[in-house]
Amino acid sequence: MLEVRKVAKAFDGFQAVAGVSLAVPRGQIAAIIGPNGAGKTTLFNLITGHLRPDAGAVLLDGRDITGLPPHDVCRLGMGRSFQRINIFPRLTVFQNVQAGFISHRGRGLDLFSRVGQLYREETEALLESLGLLDRSGEVSGFLSHGAQKQLELGIALASEPRLLLLDEPTAGMSAAETRETIQLISRIAAERGLTLLFTEHDMEVVFSIAQKITVLHQGRVIAEGAPAEVRNDPEVRRVYLGERR
Amino acid sequence: MSGLRRIPWALVLVVAALFVPALGSRFYTFVATDVAILALFAVSLNLLLGYTGLVSFGHAAYFGIGAYATGILMKKAGIPFLLAFPAAGVLAGLFALVFGFFCVRLTKIYFAMLTLAFAQIVWAICFKWNDVTGGEQGMPEIPYPDLAWMERLPLAGQLRTSDHFYLLTVVLVAACLWVLRRIVGSPFGRILTTIRENPERAEFIGVNVRRFELIAFVIAGAFAGLAGGLFGIFNRGVFPDFVYWSKSSEVLIMTILGGIGYFYGPAVGALVLLVLNQQITSYTQYWPFILGTILIVLLFAFPSGIVGALDAAARRLARPRRA
Ligand SMILES: Nc1ncnc2c1ncn2[C@@H]1O[C@H](COP(=O)(O)OP(=O)(O)OP(=O)(O)O)[C@@H](O)[C@H]1O
Ligand SMILES: [Mg+2]
């Protein structure tokens, strides 16, 4: 479904991503791990069109999407959540998610209907599944960090993506919140038949749900495979697992 | 509270405004016309400022283009107001489309500077192109639209021509505000607010941010043009300073003063600023000094504008009653 071919990106001469290739087949739950600064977020930015790669190509369902702007990439069925909270802070929780439906279903250029109740059912159903329904009317900027992270996921899901990229979906969450969120993500992915690519620092999370793990270090892939293989890879142990915990 | 909310306040206000000429004061009608037109101008700017999060320093360009369009068509070509007025909106909208095409490619302060640059180009053309715009001297004696038919309306028969024009202005401004209000409350309006809040994220929910910004820019420009079309007639002439940067800053001040977070905020800002201007200039010649001082006080005391302050006060009053 997603194929990344030797993408590279340098910032002022610093090679943040140095020729990364990976493939995620339909329905797979894949993870990218790597120490801080390994280039995970940059890779996501390259895949989603937020940054243009210096070299390489990104293919979605066999179609070359390299260099397409994010709004086109989103329309082709790729959703994304962010490591750092990236919501519409002065809109309510409801409006945040509703906007995703409006845009995705092509009602954005409708200048004369009333927006109030539009896609209310869909929005509330999604908020319900995220456990945010009772916060629906609250201004999203005032939510707790954990709830904002959930909303982050909700905004991405409102675009009804087939492929979902989650950049550290549990960053900054407590252990309990992390567990809940991971269960939530696996459940939603299963229900909707989503293909999932995520990054995560919490090793327990990664090894519990990922079917395939790609290890990034200094902008390069140093190992790739099923969780068990990756766990026992000596290179990975040296640069990553040993180094961190 | 909920009973008060159900009253269609906007409609009540429009009807009340129609009775201003009945007060019999030429001065009141004059100020009320000025307020109505500039309220539309300010509300059009707020579509960019308050809803889309775009700061335009050159909104007077579209106001001026509208004023010149209506003025030239009515005075030089003898075209009736019925056509010359919408032409102001169309022409201003077309210019906004061309200028906006470039402006939305930039962000933040660079966007603002480019809007200013285009406005100054428009000003220079108006200032120099004597044959068409009257150059530095402007274009005096724009005729009033033919409103003799109003004499047959009940109650309006005894009024002056300027009163008739005022009544027309109120109706047209109200209609324009109604349309803008619908736009702001539409799915399109909601998408604009996502751009204001977070343009990066808006892209990732599939919003073509530049395209939406451009559409907002064209709509705001077109309504500024309609306000300008009315203003040229009201002012009995069109002059290059309609387009000058100081006019852009004036409307920006009105909008912020009234409150960019509220649909009618800029209209209130227009009212307050114009009335203060009228009052203070009759006592002192130091209007710019006084204006500056008032602004500083207001910006610090009411950072969300006059309407924002009133809204906060109303909420504070409502709270203990609910408890
Ligand atoms: N816009 C940018 N300009 C310059 N350097 C950048 C930019 N974005 C990222 N970098 C650099 O590229 C490297 C990779 O950053 P990136 O955010 O992709 O890492 P990451 O793997 O997501 O790290 P973390 O685990 O901390 O989220 C870092 O050294 C970072 O400083
Ligand atoms: Mg990162």
Side-chain angles (χ1 to χ4, degrees):
Chain A
M1 167 155 227
L2 175 71
E3 197 186 335
V4 178
R5 287 186 191 154
K6 293 190 183 146
V7 293
K9 181 78 192 177
F11 297 110
D12 305 321
F14 172 76
Q15 199 69 39
V17 172
V20 169
S21 299
L22 62 94
V24 184
R26 184 178 308 279
Q28 191 176 62
I29 297 183
I32 299 178
I33 61 171
N36 290 99
K40 304 180 295 293
T41 299
T42 306
L43 180 61
F44 269 27
N45 285 336
L46 293 171
I47 295 172
T48 54
H50 189 53
L51 293 174
R52 183 187 271 274
D54 302 332
V58 180
L59 284 81
L60 183 64
D61 292 324
R63 182 181 162 174
D64 190 346
I65 59 163
T66 321
L68 282 188
H71 62 261
D72 284 333
V73 173
C74 173
R75 287 190 177 272
L76 291 172
M78 192 190 301
R80 161 180 197 180
S81 81
F82 291 78
Q83 179 173 358
R84 287 177 40 209
I85 301 289
N86 205 353
I87 57 178
F88 305 114
R90 284 187 298 165
L91 302 188
T92 64
V93 170
F94 180 87
Q95 290 168 346
N96 266 270
V97 171
Q98 184 199 30
F101 283 109
I102 291 172
S103 172
H104 175 67
R105 302 207 176 169
R107 290 292 292 278
L109 288 174
D110 176 346
L111 272 72
F112 282 95
S113 319
R114 290 183 197 280
V115 71
Q117 304 296 312
L118 198 62
Y119 302 125
R120 178 170 172 175
E121 258 173 55
E122 291 90 332
T123 303
E124 290 188 340
L126 182 51
L127 289 175
E128 166 98 79
S129 74
L130 294 168
L132 284 173
L133 188 54
D134 51 337
R135 322 291 295 272
S136 177
E138 288 179 37
V139 174
S140 61
F142 294 139
L143 295 179
S144 69
H145 177 85
Q148 288 185 347
K149 233 25 211 180
Q150 306 279 51
L151 180 58
E152 179 73 43
L153 185 62
I155 297 171
L157 287 171
S159 305
E160 299 173 312
R162 291 172 295 130
L163 170 66
L164 185 59
L165 273 64
L166 304 174
D167 197 356
E168 304 206 14
T170 67
M173 286 189 176
S174 69
E177 282 176 327
T178 300
R179 214 172 310 118
E180 265 174 48
T181 304
I182 288 308
Q183 278 168 4
L184 182 74
I185 292 172
S186 347
R187 197 189 74 222
I188 291 176
E191 273 171 15
R192 301 185 171 216
L194 284 178
T195 308
L196 208 62
L197 177 64
F198 71 104
T199 72
E200 185 56 69
H201 272 312
D202 187 325
M203 284 306 114
E204 233 170 280
V205 168
V206 174
F207 288 109
S208 70
I209 70 168
Q211 294 158 351
K212 192 188 78 178
I213 298 174
T214 302
V215 188
L216 219 56
H217 180 54
Q218 293 174 352
R220 284 172 207 285
V221 176
I222 58 165
E224 189 171 37
E229 296 170 44
V230 168
R231 203 196 297 260
N232 297 321
D233 187 293
E235 176 83 350
V236 174
R237 289 192 157 269
R238 190 175 60 76
V239 306
Y240 190 61
L241 298 176
E243 189 179 284
R244 277 183 58 87
R245 48 191 84 189
Chain B
M1 260 333 254
S2 62
L4 280 175
R5 284 195 179 283
R6 234 170 284 140
I7 299 172
W9 284 111
L11 199 64
V12 171
L13 191 70
V14 170
V15 173
L18 289 174
F19 281 90
V20 168
L23 299 173
S25 155
R26 194 183 279 258
F27 176 70
Y28 285 158
T29 307
F30 175 85
V31 174
T33 317
D34 204 6
V35 168
I37 295 172
L38 287 178
L40 175 58
F41 185 23
V43 171
S44 78
L45 174 64
N46 203 37
L47 185 67
L48 299 178
L49 194 62
Y51 289 93
T52 320
L54 291 172
V55 183
S56 170
F57 284 157
H59 205 48
Y62 312 100
F63 183 78
I65 287 167
Y68 276 104
T70 303
I72 291 168
L73 288 176
M74 288 179 71
K75 188 181 170 187
K76 300 199 170 168
I79 288 175
F81 178 80
L82 202 62
L83 293 175
F85 174 67
V90 171
L91 201 70
L94 283 176
F95 272 91
L97 180 65
V98 175
F99 295 160
F101 176 82
F102 297 99
C103 294
V104 300
R105 258 135 250 274
L106 304 182
T107 54
K108 308 212 171 105
I109 193 68
Y110 303 99
F111 171 89
M113 293 323 285
L114 196 56
T115 59
L116 176 60
F118 280 121
Q120 288 302 87
I121 289 172
V122 173
W123 175 79
I125 291 170
C126 295
F127 195 81
K128 287 287 178 200
W129 199 9
N130 289 317
D131 296 344
V132 175
T133 64
E136 196 177 348
Q137 306 304 318
M139 235 183 352
E141 285 151 27
I142 310 287
Y144 270 122
D146 178 17
L147 297 172
W149 54 271
M150 280 198 186
E151 279 164 25
R152 291 194 294 277
L153 295 178
L155 300 174
Q158 319 301 323
L159 300 173
R160 305 178 195 92
T161 314
S162 59
D163 292 330
H164 287 155
F165 182 68
Y166 167 75
L167 295 179
L168 180 69
T169 298
V170 169
V171 171
L172 290 176
V173 166
C176 289
L177 290 179
W178 180 79
V179 173
L180 279 167
R181 175 113 196 142
R182 282 303 294 249
I183 291 174
V184 159
S186 72
F188 172 77
R190 173 62 46 76
I191 297 295
L192 294 187
T193 62
T194 67
I195 295 175
R196 174 195 74 203
E197 289 298 299
N198 190 343
E200 182 195 51
R201 185 63 194 243
E203 275 279 333
F204 283 99
I205 61 169
V207 175
N208 186 340
V209 169
R210 280 182 186 169
R211 182 188 297 163
F212 276 79
E213 287 179 343
L214 181 57
I215 296 169
F217 199 77
V218 169
I219 295 171
F223 280 96
L226 292 174
L230 292 172
F231 195 78
I233 298 169
F234 161 68
N235 195 53
R236 317 297 309 120
V238 181
F239 306 98
D241 62 318
F242 286 16
V243 193
Y244 204 53
W245 65 267
S246 57
K247 196 79 182 167
S248 294
S249 74
E250 189 184 307
V251 69
L252 204 55
I253 291 170
M254 285 173 180
T255 307
I256 295 169
L257 180 69
I260 62 171
Y262 301 85
F263 181 78
Y264 291 110
V268 172
L271 171 77
V272 170
L273 207 69
L274 289 172
V275 170
L276 279 179
N277 188 348
Q278 292 290 349
Q279 291 302 312
I280 292 170
T281 38
S282 62
Y283 294 116
T284 156
Q285 49 181 328
Y286 300 117
W287 163 244
F289 176 78
I290 309 262
L291 172 67
T293 313
I294 292 172
L295 273 178
I296 291 167
V297 170
L298 284 174
L299 287 175
F300 278 98
F302 311 125
S304 48
I306 296 168
V307 177
L310 292 175
D311 187 34
R315 278 166 204 264
R316 223 168 294 133
L317 285 178
R319 207 167 297 144
R321 225 176 299 164
R322 226 179 297 144

